[in-house]
Amino acid sequence: MKRYLLTAIGIGITGAYLFPLYWMYATALKDDAEIVQYPPTLVPQRPFWNVGEVFFGRHMPSYLWNSLVVAVGVTALVIVLGTGCAYVLGRARGRWVDALLFFVLMMQVLPSSLVVTPLFVGFNLAGLLGTPRLAVILAQTAKALPFYVVICRASFAGVPRDLEEAALVDGHSRLAAFFHIAVPLARNGILVAAVLVFLQSFGEYVFARSMISDDGLQTATVGLSAFLGPNTSDWHGIMTYSAIYVTPILIIFVLLQRRIVAGLTAGAIK
Amino acid sequence: MRLSVFDTFRDGRGLDALLVLLTLVYLIVFGLAPILYTVLMSLQQVDMFTLGDFSRPFVGFANYVDVLTRPEAGMVARHTLVFVALSVACQLVLGFALALFFQQDFPGAGIMRGLFLAAWIMPGLVVGGIWRWMLAGDNGVVNSLLAVTHLHPTKIFWMSDPATSLYAVTIANIWLGIPFNMLLLSVGLAAIPKDLYEAAQLDGAGPVERFRSITLPMMRATLGALVSLSVIFTLQQFDLFAGMTQGGPSNSSNVAQFWSWQLSFQTYDIAGGSTIAVLMIAVVIGVATLYVRSTRHEQIG
Amino acid sequence: EPLTLDFWSVDQDGQYAYGMAKAYEAAHPDIKVNVRRVQFPDMVNDLARAAMTGNVPDISYVDNPDVALLASRGALSDLTGMIAADKTIDMESFYPGPRGAASVNGKVYAVPRGANTLALFYNADMFKAHGLDPDHPPQTWDEFYAAAKTLTDPAKNVYGLAFSAANSEEGTFQFLPWVQMAGGNYDHINTPGAVEALQFWQKLIDEKVASPDTLVRGQYDSTGTFNAGNAAMVVSGPWELPRMSRDAKFDWRVALLPVKTAGGPRASALGEGTNVIPTKAKHPKEAFAMISFMNARMPTVWNDFGFLPASKVDVPDPKWPAAYKVFATALEDAKVRGPSPDWVKISKPIQTAVQAALTHQTDAKTALDTAQAQIDRVLKK
Amino acid sequence: MQITLDGLQKHYGTYHALKSIDLAVPAGQFVALVGPSGCGKSTLLRTIAGLEAISAGTLRIAGEDVTRRPPRQRDVAMVFQSYALYPHMTVAENMGYALKLRRLNRTDIARRTQVAAATLGLEALLGRYPRELSGGQRQRVAMGRAIVRDPKVFLFDEPLSNLDAALRVHMRGELRDLHDRLAATSVYVTHDQIEAMTMADHVVVMRAGRIEQQGRPLDLYDRPASRFVAGFIGSPAMNILPGTVDPSGRAARLDGAEGPLLSLPMLLEPGRPVLLGLRPEHLRLSQEGGARFDGVVDHIESTGSTTFVKLKVASQAMVMTLARRLDVTLGDPMQIGFDPADLHIFDRESEASLVTQRDAPPRAGRA
Amino acid sequence: MQITLDGLQKHYGTYHALKSIDLAVPAGQFVALVGPSGCGKSTLLRTIAGLEAISAGTLRIAGEDVTRRPPRQRDVAMVFQSYALYPHMTVAENMGYALKLRRLNRTDIARRTQVAAATLGLEALLGRYPRELSGGQRQRVAMGRAIVRDPKVFLFDEPLSNLDAALRVHMRGELRDLHDRLAATSVYVTHDQIEAMTMADHVVVMRAGRIEQQGRPLDLYDRPASRFVAGFIGSPAMNILPGTVDPSGRAARLDGAEGPLLSLPMLLEPGRPVLLGLRPEHLRLSQEGGARFDGVVDHIESTGSTTFVKLKVASQAMVMTLARRLDVTLGDPMQIGFDPADLHIFDRESEASLVTQRDAPPRAGRA
Ligand SMILES: Nc1ncnc2c1ncn2[C@@H]1O[C@H](COP(=O)(O)OP(=O)(O)OP(=O)(O)O)[C@@H](O)[C@H]1O
Ligand SMILES: Nc1ncnc2c1ncn2[C@@H]1O[C@H](COP(=O)(O)OP(=O)(O)OP(=O)(O)O)[C@@H](O)[C@H]1O
Ligand SMILES: [Mg+2]
Ligand SMILES: [Mg+2]
């Protein structure tokens, strides 16, 4: 009984929290006049839904594909580069570790909009702007890596050391024990951090906008800004576009939540 | 017998070095370089058009003097402090409360927790836009709900009243930061051994006491990471200012990062923008130091 | 194989750059025009960055007040010679505003592609309902204020007036005409007239004749409230005509901005932008040919893209003829912002001053004095 | 405080861990809970402490129904089998935590912690963190956490398993003293026969989620109600050999080739299949008088004080315990004697004892 | 595989956990490591396994210096005191993991896991996760993880501490069999006297990071080199009482009022302060002949088979173990006998034994 009461409360909280999301859908269905109407209509009165027009008219398939390429690339690179470092920083202690941790955190310090200019200059010299999606992946990885390392470090710090020792005795090298014992046991943290990195990179805007000049390689969030002109801002279009953009990801994450988020409680280590 | 070169990377110190270097080298190339470049620019006379050539005149700390003596400097610093402190504190408290709530075992807890990711998926531009509509003074749904529920019958001009504009952005930012906090805290909570709570219960600890003396200290690693990252993220929040108030009215909601952006990209004063960024780095150095110190008291498995 | 011209613009699909590109390609099969969209606020940054790396477009849109900046930094090709040699472009034919925006120190760096300006839209149905004569829209500030006051109806969520005092270039764009009508300008922003203009705006906001959200709303959103019937009048430009005719379910009309006192000077803002050729463009000659082609089609921009022609040409069979007449008249008095290579540093203090006064953080005089001090510093440099 | 369990049941998912437990522990009693690994001892302690939701039944402490009370309202101290030390607190903080929650002042806490630490030999380690302790030291801290308090009820889950013999003997005395001094009620899970027999007033033998038998320690030893209890109480375990009552009904023959005939202390139906039980310590070497049979030495082990002789008797294995060294070679024949009063007889089918009704055998003074 | 430790030292920060350990375990030997809690037993095992960096000294396995070799190159199986089960693997996966790493095929792994599980009584639990197991079941899984392999070296850290007596007896046999079958070298940490004495070929007694004495189990029992070992080996511990050699040099008087005179098995300087040691199991009741003294019954405990009598002798406490019940009342006077050959004598200062040089007393056949 109590569990269902909790469910009810949970739905209430989630509903309240997701209200802005609902507002996005509602706005997507309203015409310009209804958008500014007062009192605002909670349910669109004259819903109209031009998904197809926005989806194809705005080249969304290609934009979404490019976003996916960037997000997958960044996430893969971050996981490959950062997991080991997070592990070492979560295990060892000492002045060197402190210094490293400090350094890593500091690398997160500047907003993309500021680092993009020097990176742009550097990438241009290195000829990377010829492969703009790769350039964006490299830049965004630098942005996400410290974040990922700091988050995963906390998870690795919670993995009991004697489990790794048992693995060493069972015949693993330290490297293998890291892969087969430490990583699975820290998977909650790794997974959540990776999901956050993925989503962040999927929505990356600043680097893509500056480094990708070919519209065919451009990403979805940049495509979104096409609705904002010097004298116009097509809110209806923006909301429709972003509803198309958000919905599938949201559905995927809700479907995968068993593996991604709900696994959190199942995986108690000790 | 010493380990062979190959073995040291599998079993010895070499492994640690290798794993760390992967990240380190990458960050030095792609992370440190732009930061140093920014510091350099803050000491030079630069604008949009001299970005590319390096033979720019050095001006010492003239940019710092210039930025710090501008009439809005003090105000912006104050707003930044309020914005960061309020955002981080509320995100943490609300995120923690939600993590604890969804930690309980009830039908649908997982799905609902997944839905909270929505805020992280939505593009910043859209979030700014949505909150702008919702907090609009005349036709915003928030005012309408406040009126319907008689909580505040008169309209609040959230974004155009200098008294509330900063808080309007802060509210939106708190909304944006909740899932990040909630998810990571959930991970941390799940890793706490249950038997500690049991022992504490038998020792006579009530829920509050258990939270204080078991949950909090055991979450130290997570909390340290979370708070420091939250501070940094909040210091980089840009879309909401661009989407909601443009830092206005008359700088009443302007914060350092937006100001830095305005200088760099609206008035093409790259030196000024870089200078503010460097001043912000100083703040983050403090945060990072606190974080590193906090890790010394962590529980390492 | 066809030569490709890179054309950067802020337009969306179907608008000016795309339409022109299509027409030009049709007329010149040997040329391909590759239009790239750049966000309006990013254009100068992108051009500067492109200048740095050498990947500049052949033609680009540049907003009026930015021409001086880019030209002064050597980013734009001097077109004076080419224009002199060209038969279709006659700088004298442009209205003074657009012409001023295109030239710096006597050299021409840009060719106006069209123009827009501000006027007063009003809801004739509401005028009638409140006993005002829709055929006689307000002519002076006093009449304007009185009408707005009458039209304001809080119970129905209707403001008398909508405009934009946003913390962006739009705020300056809307504010400067009122200053100019009262005897001031961007370089004399704290004249008594300018203070009066700001006090007039203050009164509009203080008495809730216009929404406090005017401070955060752009022109587009302000006009949205007018279209929705939540404002009886709005100060806006011709770009709104297509949307208004679609969304506004009432009898809307356009009038010139009211003047300060009867017979006083008129003023309006000059909007829209120019086409330029960046310094390092790879095909300057071909680019100029296309600019010339586009200039030749000036008479069609009203009907095709909703711009006012920047030069005195006959528009055959204009859409919304009444509105066209008003805007064309307004354009005669439209003044360019600047020109100054440091325009953005002039505009920012003005926006801040307006907002500070409208929110009563300072009084109008002090606010404008502060702005003037900052502007003086920029101009003296 | 009296503890009463009525029809207590506990399910872990589909696994039925406790199957209707009825138990009444009078106030002030020291109860030992024994049983094979996995039989539900820890689960039972945890339900008493309130850490496991009870699937069915009621639990009363001091007469009050506390089935749904949270643990901290039960005033119970428990030593966890897994220790459950707070990793972020020093030894002193671990031990003083419960006192701190009771708002004792700092000096009182320090004093009581000090006393407990002295008892446990932990004085030098008070400032350490659990991760810096050895296994036995951790266990002692876990114990310290329980004994600094003076609760109504003590629950001990194998609290001495990782301690050396000397310390264990010492702690046995200390725990029993503490129990008496506080007039507490204690439930003590142990695998150590000596602990169960010497510390407890009452022993409860559990088996697969049920109580198999309970009673005073020596009663269980002397009159096990079933083959299971007989085998479980006493170490090495009782020798249990299949046999058949011979036609006289006064003796039974061990199964197997040439099984010897053992005289029975009672009359049984001839031909009835039975299990004959003889404790290793009740077997004697070649003694005149009493019952007697032949065996062959199979293996010998000595702990110094005690010698375990493994024998083959009619192809069945038996163990004999002797309180001294023995100098025999493997394969030597041996004549084994026993007192028929020490013979336990169980039904082959139900495994229930057939001799539980008889009086305690007069064992004392047999020196 | 022979294991040789030379001057092994280990520091934890400032704590000196192992202070120069020299130990040679011949191939195929079964060594029991005993010592008080916290003396460094686990640390020693961990250094042999390669889990702790050694601060000084060398470690050789099969003659090869492996001091800096990683654990996996040592072919060592270890049961951790803390179990260290992989929480994300089932019981079967935990046990089969080392085999999987050795690339055995699936059926082999399953077979060997099955066999080990049967030995340990875990068959029904193979699909469970560690968190769903009882304490003893977890310990058995930890053991299963070691015994499925056939390593050169076995390291056991108190592997049976949480098992019931019957299972423990069973496992003792199984472990020793396994050791013999694989001809492995085993180092076995235990607190259980019986385990150490009956399973091991060789017993090492540690104290505070040093080896105090080592030797064959009965040698340690019979000839402890120091008071510490004497007290540590044997349970209940040896009675050790201060006394003074009397003027004859052939007897010693227990300290305290009217302390009795105990005759010594050797001649000592008169007046020398000594410590006299008598094992509880070597004391007898009122027997004619041999040495003898008087005491008063202070306390009696019985485990069923054994009775512990606590006595007061000249205001000092003594324990006597009897292999049967005793029907006496507290306060009764008692006459205690012992064989002078069983008397241990230690120097009061150095606590070293004064009788270690003598031959093993002829204890066998004293029945
Ligand atoms: N990380 C550490 N830091 C400081 N001291 C430690 C650390 N680990 C162990 N010790 C100390 O080293 C000593 C030896 O520990 P070890 O675990 O070897 O003891 P042990 O003989 O196995 O004891 P037990 O029988 O209690 O398990 C102990 O006194 C312990 O407190
Ligand atoms: N979470 C669980 N899920 C399923 N079964 C469980 C769970 N916890 C315990 N069990 C089972 O319940 C039974 C009783 O467990 P309990 O811990 O009470 O045993 P125990 O008597 O304390 O054993 P030990 O002496 O080994 O500690 C065991 O068979 C165990 O496998
Ligand atoms: Mg248990
Ligand atoms: Mg140990």
Side-chain angles (χ1 to χ4, degrees), chain D residues 134-136, chain E residues 41-43 81 157-158 189:
Chain D
S134 79
Chain E
K41 304 179 295 295
S42 300
T43 307
Q81 193 171 11
D157 203 347
E158 311 210 9
V189 173

Side-chain angles (χ1 to χ4, degrees), chain E residues 11-33:
Chain E
H11 292 264
Y12 287 115
T14 59
Y15 186 81
H16 202 168
L18 294 181
K19 302 166 185 155
S20 190
I21 300 281
D22 294 301
L23 179 68
V25 183
Q29 211 177 43
F30 196 110
V31 174
L33 204 56

Side-chain angles (χ1 to χ4, degrees), chain A residues 82 85-86 89 97-109 142-151 153, chain B residues 20 23-24 27 31 35 229 232 284 288 291-292:
Chain A
C85 183
L89 295 184
V97 173
D98 288 358
L100 273 169
L101 207 51
F102 180 80
F103 175 79
V104 167
L105 199 61
M106 286 307 297
M107 289 305 102
Q108 181 85 41
V109 66
K143 199 84 195 49
L145 195 52
F147 163 78
Y148 178 84
V149 168
V150 169
I151 295 297
R153 196 200 82 90
Chain B
V20 168
T23 301
L24 206 58
L27 286 181
I35 291 181
L229 287 175
I232 291 175
V284 176
Y291 167 63
V292 168

Side-chain angles (χ1 to χ4, degrees), chain D residues 31 34 47 67 83 128 158 192 266 272 323 363:
Chain D
V31 174
V34 300
T47 53
T67 318
Y83 315 157
R128 292 241 195 119
E158 312 209 11
D192 185 318
M266 65 206 297
R272 178 169 182 175
R363 267 201 202 114

Side-chain angles (χ1 to χ4, degrees), chain D residues 125 128 131-138 140 162-163, chain E residues 12-13 15 17-18 35-44 81 157-158 189 191:
Chain D
L125 307 176
R128 292 241 195 119
R131 63 174 174 277
E132 301 165 338
L133 298 180
S134 79
Q137 288 164 346
R138 288 181 203 182
R140 282 180 274 161
N162 271 285
L163 304 185
Chain E
Y12 287 115
Y15 186 81
L18 294 181
S37 171
C39 70
K41 304 179 295 295
S42 300
T43 307
L44 188 56
Q81 193 171 11
D157 203 347
E158 311 210 9
V189 173
H191 284 310

Side-chain angles (χ1 to χ4, degrees), chain D residues 42 81 157, chain E residues 135:
Chain D
S42 299
Q81 195 170 10
D157 203 347

Side-chain angles (χ1 to χ4, degrees), chain C residues 111-136:
Chain C
V111 178
R113 68 172 197 173
N116 64 42
T117 188
L118 292 174
L120 183 69
F121 293 87
Y122 60 97
N123 184 331
D125 293 347
M126 282 196 194
F127 267 55
K128 282 182 223 152
H130 287 84
L132 296 173
D133 181 359
D135 296 327
H136 283 93

